[in-house]
Amino acid sequence: MLTKWRFQCLLWGMVSAYLTVSVIEVYVKKETSWLSLAVTGFFVACGSLSTMIAFHISTLRCSETHTLMTLLLEYTYFQFIGLFGPLIVSKLTKAWKEPRKAQETFLRELISRDANTEYGKRYLKGIKSLQDFRDKHPLTKYDHYQDYFQRLADGEKNVCVATKVERFGLSSGTTGKGKLIPLVISKSGRLVAGVYLQRLAGVSPVQKIATIYCRSAHRFTKSGLLVAAVSFIPESRASKFLTGSLSNTPFPAYKISTDFEATYVHLLFSLTDKNISVFLTPFASQVYRAFAVLEDKQDMLLADLSQGKINPNLNLDEDIRQSVNAALKPNPARADELRAEFARGFVGIASRIWPYLKCVLTIDVSGYMKKLQENYTKGTKFYSPSYACTECLSLGINLWMDGRPQQYVLLPSEVMLEFIPEEFSGGDSPETLLIDEVEVGKRYETVITSISGFYRYRMGDVVEVVGFHENCPVIQVKYRTGELLNLRSEKINKLVVNNAIQESLGNWPGVTLVEWTCAESPLLYEDQDGVDFDMFYMLFVEFDSLENLRLSEEQKSLFDKSLRKQHEFYDNYRQVGTISEARVMIVLPGSFKKLQDFTIANSTASYNQFKMPKKLRTKATVDFLMKFVVDVYNSNL
């Protein structure tokens, strides 16, 4: 097919060039009026453009599954990004060189926008500088905005956000209750990640991407606006055009709302195309899940690919099944090619089945990237394009695809940022630092002011400044304040816990860690008034097989010892006995997938947004996971 597209584009280019020259010759040989001249000029311009496009595409690697329409749509999309890329980079560079000035400009424009709203008249009056802002506007959390945002969703005017709200987002809800958030998207912010992906990865403008997507629940506000996860793809004409031209999966598959079936179908269509350029999922855990499905269901996938028909046992709505079956063509040659690669094993399988894959585009929040690089995606680059959240879609951009840890240059022209030094983040109204006052090597809780209506909002991320680009901070995200373990005000973050786990693993022979999370013991007794109980942490761990599931008490105690060694306050509480030894709970393989399903079924979280919480915060989730513990301590549990 690659040769076919190359031949077709060459033929197209030659025919277009011939017709263009013919039109010019006709014009030269006869006298014409100004109207004829205009018409001739139009046809010559179109013919010249058509010729250039055709010859250019003929030089590029092209996805095998393109139609002429999707080919031209994807080509046009990337040319658009390439055209505006230099302007976007120039704007960002200017802001990076003078971040304080960019922040002042951003704040001034935002206050001017919202000044006459109910919120603006109450909280923004008289603010003319960054210092005024820090002095006069309080630090906030979500409950400060909850009523304003609900009224905005109900259709009230002039409440808090004096610009068009495209729709409402729902935060993931995996570390707490999901939040209703107005989505206002910056025009330049839409393109920033695409501009740098094209520059860093060198993606061909006619190679498609592989996606893994599961449709989340959604609803509409009283005013008719969509309420859904940020990653939700609506059934709009633009969405159908983009998914059809950029993705290898037909749009009907984007309506599948069950995790396994969505993963399977997206994976199947991705396998049809040898020339995939990017493998895209929101989180690295989904990448791992997809390749695990590929390994586990390889025979079923190959059979479907050979026959051009989805397995009848898949739980799909009939209209979706008919649509995807119509789009899937029998390809026994590709199935044989894949079968030979599968027979060689699955280490480095990504680069073998997609030899022109530029990168895996995802974010790693749970350590799955290391597992992938040792197994399925060995030898393939990873790229985490941006630092974003539902509250602000343009916080930072990653300028590196060279294997270094995920890090981001902040975007001072897209969001205003303040920083609370980590040691003071437990306070209600701590002093903040501005973007040019932070120091390399220090950690800070981030405070944002964004175009979506948040002012001095404590979003809960703790970041470390690891350097500067131009004069702007480069940060790494370390943990969320909502996931701190905190029985006696010791505040243990997930990095400390993970380090203790990794140290313990060295003395837990024969096991491979799949996933972990923690919980505080009071959750076990939340419904038992007047009962005295020990205070301790529970570490739930899942290994990759049924073998070696049992650890000795001495082996389990290594986790507590490592935690004490790494955290002075925790060690002090352990010495005086106000916190008891941490307990390691081993759960059956597959338990964390069941926990994911349980959490999504009982919260606003979706499969595309889900991040495995490193701290369980409800009794229901603790009780659910306890059902899968295979080796519980001999205690009063």
Side-chain angles (χ1 to χ4, degrees):
M1 182 64 83
L2 181 63
T3 304
K4 179 182 175 182
W5 272 118
R6 184 165 292 164
F7 172 77
Q8 287 179 338
C9 288
L10 283 171
L11 182 61
W12 163 23
M14 288 187 288
V15 171
S16 180
Y18 174 77
L19 292 175
T20 302
V21 171
S22 297
V23 170
I24 294 173
E25 287 179 347
V26 170
Y27 167 73
V28 170
K29 289 178 180 178
K30 55 187 282 189
E31 294 184 6
T32 56
S33 65
W34 67 268
L35 181 59
S36 297
L37 175 63
V39 172
T40 300
F42 174 77
F43 277 107
V44 169
C46 291
S48 300
L49 180 62
S50 172
T51 302
M52 287 189 293
I53 291 173
F55 284 137
H56 185 213
I57 293 177
S58 73
T59 67
L60 302 171
R61 178 159 296 281
C62 179
S63 273
E64 301 172 356
T65 53
H66 267 306
T67 64
L68 181 60
M69 176 64 75
T70 62
L71 181 76
L72 293 176
L73 283 172
E74 184 180 21
Y75 181 83
T76 302
Y77 174 78
F78 277 104
Q79 295 310 306
F80 178 82
I81 288 179
L83 178 65
F84 286 93
L87 295 175
I88 292 171
V89 172
S90 176
K91 178 184 175 182
L92 292 178
T93 301
K94 182 178 179 180
W96 288 331
K97 288 181 177 179
E98 297 182 283
R100 172 75 78 100
K101 183 178 179 181
Q103 296 275 265
E104 290 171 342
T105 301
F106 175 84
L107 180 63
R108 184 167 58 249
E109 292 175 351
L110 194 61
I111 289 177
S112 175
R113 185 195 77 178
D114 294 339
N116 292 321
T117 64
E118 180 182 324
Y119 187 91
K121 291 174 181 178
R122 181 174 181 181
Y123 290 103
L124 305 178
K125 190 174 181 180
I127 295 175
K128 297 181 179 179
S129 67
L130 292 174
Q131 190 57 50
D132 283 346
F133 189 47
R134 288 195 290 184
D135 291 341
K136 296 180 180 181
H137 196 290
L139 291 171
T140 62
K141 294 187 177 181
Y142 182 75
D143 56 3
H144 176 81
Y145 303 94
Q146 191 167 5
D147 179 62
Y148 288 103
F149 289 169
Q150 187 60 59
R151 290 165 56 197
L152 190 66
D154 290 342
E156 282 193 50
K157 304 296 183 183
N158 213 38
V159 178
C160 54
V161 180
T163 191
K164 180 184 177 182
V165 175
E166 299 197 15
R167 61 187 179 98
F168 283 81
L170 279 174
S171 63
S172 64
T174 51
T175 58
K177 186 178 179 181
K179 306 176 183 70
L180 182 70
I181 296 168
L183 292 184
V184 179
I185 304 174
S186 162
K187 291 181 180 179
S188 60
R190 293 176 189 265
L191 297 176
V192 169
V195 167
Y196 280 97
L197 172 63
Q198 192 175 40
R199 288 177 169 232
L200 294 171
V203 175
S204 165
V206 285
Q207 280 180 270
K208 287 192 175 185
I209 64 175
T211 58
I212 301 295
Y213 174 87
C214 181
R215 195 181 202 194
S216 60
H218 64 285
R219 57 184 173 87
F220 293 90
T221 67
K222 290 181 180 179
S223 57
L225 291 177
L226 175 69
V227 180
V230 171
S231 58
F232 183 84
I233 299 175
E235 292 187 52
S236 64
R237 182 176 297 179
S239 296
K240 291 177 181 179
F241 271 139
L242 280 175
T243 55
S245 58
L246 299 179
S247 167
N248 215 57
T249 309
F251 185 78
Y254 284 84
K255 296 190 285 185
I256 300 172
S257 57
T258 50
D259 179 41
F260 172 75
E261 282 74 14
T263 301
Y264 183 94
V265 173
H266 280 274
L267 196 56
L268 177 61
F269 277 94
S270 298
L271 291 174
T272 65
D273 187 358
K274 184 177 182 177
N275 295 297
I276 289 293
S277 63
V278 173
F279 193 96
L280 168 65
T281 68
F283 298 108
S285 56
Q286 293 167 291
V287 181
Y288 193 90
R289 161 94 166 133
F291 279 102
V293 169
L294 176 64
E295 183 173 14
D296 186 47
K297 302 296 181 182
Q298 55 181 292
D299 292 335
M300 183 171 156
L301 286 160
L302 292 174
D304 288 0
L305 183 57
S306 294
Q307 298 166 15
K309 190 174 182 180
I310 299 288
N311 190 291
N313 294 323
L314 241 60
N315 181 26
L316 296 174
D317 291 341
E318 191 55 35
D319 60 335
I320 294 177
R321 181 184 296 279
Q322 291 178 6
S323 296
V324 295
N325 273 336
L328 185 63
K329 307 302 179 185
N331 196 341
R334 176 63 174 160
D336 289 342
E337 185 179 74
L338 292 169
R339 186 176 290 107
E341 292 299 336
F342 295 163
R344 294 171 54 197
F346 279 77
V347 175
I349 190 66
S351 61
R352 288 192 280 117
I353 60 177
W354 297 305
Y356 310 104
L357 188 68
K358 297 293 186 179
C359 66
V360 175
L361 193 68
T362 191
I363 298 170
D364 186 26
V365 295
S366 300
Y368 276 89
M369 190 177 293
K370 184 174 184 293
K371 299 176 187 177
L372 284 162
Q373 289 173 330
E374 293 172 349
N375 192 359
Y376 300 121
T377 60
K378 186 175 183 179
T380 301
K381 291 183 178 180
F382 274 76
Y383 180 55
S384 172
S386 59
Y387 175 33
C389 58
T390 310
E391 294 88 342
C392 181
L393 302 179
S394 302
L395 278 161
I397 186 74
N398 188 353
L399 302 183
W400 301 273
M401 196 189 289
D402 55 5
R404 69 183 70 187
Q406 300 170 111
Q407 58 185 44
Y408 312 92
V409 186
L410 298 173
L411 297 174
S413 59
E414 298 289 332
V415 58
M416 183 189 161
L417 295 121
E418 298 173 70
F419 303 85
I420 301 170
E422 184 182 34
E423 60 269 28
F424 302 126
S425 66
D428 292 331
S429 300
E431 294 293 321
T432 64
L433 301 175
L434 297 177
I435 198 166
D436 57 349
E437 296 174 334
V438 296
E439 300 177 40
V440 173
K442 298 290 184 66
R443 290 183 182 177
Y444 306 91
E445 179 191 346
T446 51
V447 177
I448 66 168
T449 296
S450 76
I451 59 176
S452 289
F454 290 98
Y455 287 88
R456 305 199 77 208
Y457 174 69
R458 299 178 71 167
M459 59 182 287
D461 282 0
V462 173
V463 304
E464 181 177 331
V465 178
V466 296
F468 285 86
H469 178 73
E470 302 291 355
N471 297 311
C472 193
V474 178
I475 59 94
Q476 291 178 355
V477 183
K478 292 301 179 180
Y479 61 90
R480 290 186 59 78
T481 55
E483 292 186 321
L484 289 171
L485 297 176
N486 197 29
L487 285 171
R488 302 286 189 184
S489 301
E490 64 277 19
K491 297 178 182 176
I492 305 175
N493 68 59
K494 73 173 185 181
L495 299 178
V496 172
V497 177
N498 187 60
N499 288 339
I501 293 171
Q502 296 305 318
E503 185 174 7
S504 302
L505 280 172
N507 293 284
W508 295 347
V511 301
T512 300
L513 181 69
V514 173
E515 189 57 274
W516 66 269
T517 190
C518 287
E520 297 165 349
S521 62
L523 285 177
L524 288 170
Y525 310 97
E526 198 173 70
D527 56 355
Q528 301 178 33
D529 294 335
V531 175
D532 292 329
F533 52 83
D534 288 341
M535 301 282 276
F536 57 88
Y537 293 120
M538 295 176 286
L539 171 68
F540 294 93
V541 291
E542 178 183 324
F543 301 138
D544 67 339
S545 72
L546 291 171
E547 298 179 6
N548 301 315
L549 280 182
R550 293 183 179 274
L551 300 175
S552 69
E553 295 301 316
E554 183 179 353
Q555 287 174 315
K556 291 177 179 178
S557 69
L558 294 174
F559 170 71
D560 184 76
K561 291 176 181 177
S562 181
L563 206 58
R564 294 181 66 172
K565 182 172 63 175
Q566 296 186 60
H567 200 282
E568 182 181 357
F569 288 164
Y570 177 72
D571 184 52
N572 289 338
Y573 287 122
R574 288 282 291 111
Q575 287 184 43
V576 299
T578 52
I579 296 180
S580 299
E581 180 179 334
R583 304 184 181 182
V584 176
M585 309 291 194
I586 304 169
V587 297
L588 289 169
S591 297
F592 276 84
K593 180 62 177 69
K594 292 184 174 68
L595 177 62
Q596 179 190 30
D597 295 339
F598 176 82
T599 303
I600 290 171
N602 293 279
S603 72
T604 59
S606 68
Y607 284 105
N608 297 310
Q609 278 185 301
F610 185 84
K611 304 179 287 290
M612 185 59 66
K614 295 309 178 186
K615 176 184 177 180
L616 302 181
R617 300 174 66 177
T618 67
K619 178 174 174 55
T621 53
V622 173
D623 288 346
F624 181 83
L625 205 52
M626 284 293 293
K627 293 188 298 185
F628 304 104
V629 173
V630 296
D631 190 6
V632 182
Y633 282 86
N634 294 321
S635 64
N636 294 323
L637 290 175

